[in-house]
Amino acid sequence: MSLVLELPRATPSPKHARSQANLVTRVNGPYGRRKGGPPGSPGGWWFLTEVEVLVDGEPLRPDVAGWLRERLPELSDEPLVRVTPEWICEILSPSNPTNDTVKKKRIYHRCQVPHYWIIDPRDKTLSVYRFMPDGYLEVLAAQHGERVRAEPFAGVELSVSALFDEEDEESVP
């Protein structure tokens, strides 16, 4: 008999869903293709939203997850991805932020997910964490109005404001 962890899942707000779509658009463009594409396009990743992922035997559903294609060579038709992602991003829901900042963060760390991002649509912030054996290390905290190079996607500059529809990323100098 297996134990399945059921974490509460709130229905995402339109702001939550929009931040998720904006993030995927910005990382998928340069990274969501095979390596060796056009100049300035690092490639080599798969990005999936709201998909069930088996993390250390526990099915979870991160808002956005990314896998290096060398570890997940192809996508299957199965409803559950059994390879732990290299990157997970959760977008905080006002009704239950501790689910992402405490419960899921603890699980992802235990499973050694190398990179964990938290986006807060209310505060318009991005927090970037790197796996360390003793706990996640916050390597970047950014807010609207800032442009950052956030690991593991440091090859592309990201406008934090663009995650919240505050500006068009391409129009910012």
Side-chain angles (χ1 to χ4, degrees):
M1 180 178 192
S2 66
L3 175 66
V4 176
L5 177 66
E6 291 290 332
L7 296 176
R9 182 120 181 115
T11 301
S13 70
K15 282 186 177 182
H16 179 284
R18 186 65 183 155
S19 289
Q20 184 177 347
N22 287 342
L23 172 64
V24 170
T25 298
R26 277 147 182 86
V27 296
N28 191 56
Y31 286 92
R33 59 187 73 183
R34 298 192 188 287
K35 287 186 177 181
S41 297
W45 288 78
W46 293 112
F47 297 102
L48 302 175
T49 60
E50 303 287 341
V51 68
E52 293 235 338
V53 177
L54 193 63
V55 180
D56 194 31
E58 300 178 33
L60 297 174
R61 187 176 296 176
D63 290 320
V64 186
W67 291 262
L68 288 167
R69 289 181 184 222
E70 57 205 38
R71 286 198 54 246
L72 185 66
E74 59 184 40
L75 300 178
S76 76
D77 290 328
E78 289 186 42
L80 183 67
V81 179
R82 298 179 183 279
V83 176
T84 301
E86 277 75 38
W87 170 78
I88 289 178
C89 179
E90 296 288 1
I91 299 165
L92 298 185
S93 298
S95 63
N96 194 7
T98 57
N99 192 46
D100 296 326
T101 60
V102 177
K103 292 177 185 176
K104 283 187 172 182
K105 187 177 178 185
R106 186 179 300 137
I107 293 167
Y108 296 151
H109 181 263
R110 186 181 71 235
C111 299
Q112 300 183 16
V113 173
H115 303 279
Y116 183 46
W117 289 15
I118 296 175
I119 293 176
D120 186 340
R122 287 191 331 174
D123 291 341
K124 298 179 182 171
T125 59
L126 166 66
S127 300
V128 175
Y129 299 91
R130 178 189 311 142
F131 175 85
M132 302 296 282
D134 293 335
Y136 275 115
L137 173 67
E138 185 177 56
V139 294
L140 177 71
Q143 63 186 358
H144 67 92
E146 293 184 87
R147 295 180 69 79
V148 298
R149 292 186 178 270
E151 59 182 61
F153 310 114
V156 175
E157 190 173 69
L158 175 69
S159 165
V160 176
S161 297
L163 298 174
F164 311 107
D165 283 335
E166 290 192 356
E167 63 188 33
D168 183 323
E169 185 172 314
E170 285 72 30
S171 68
V172 177

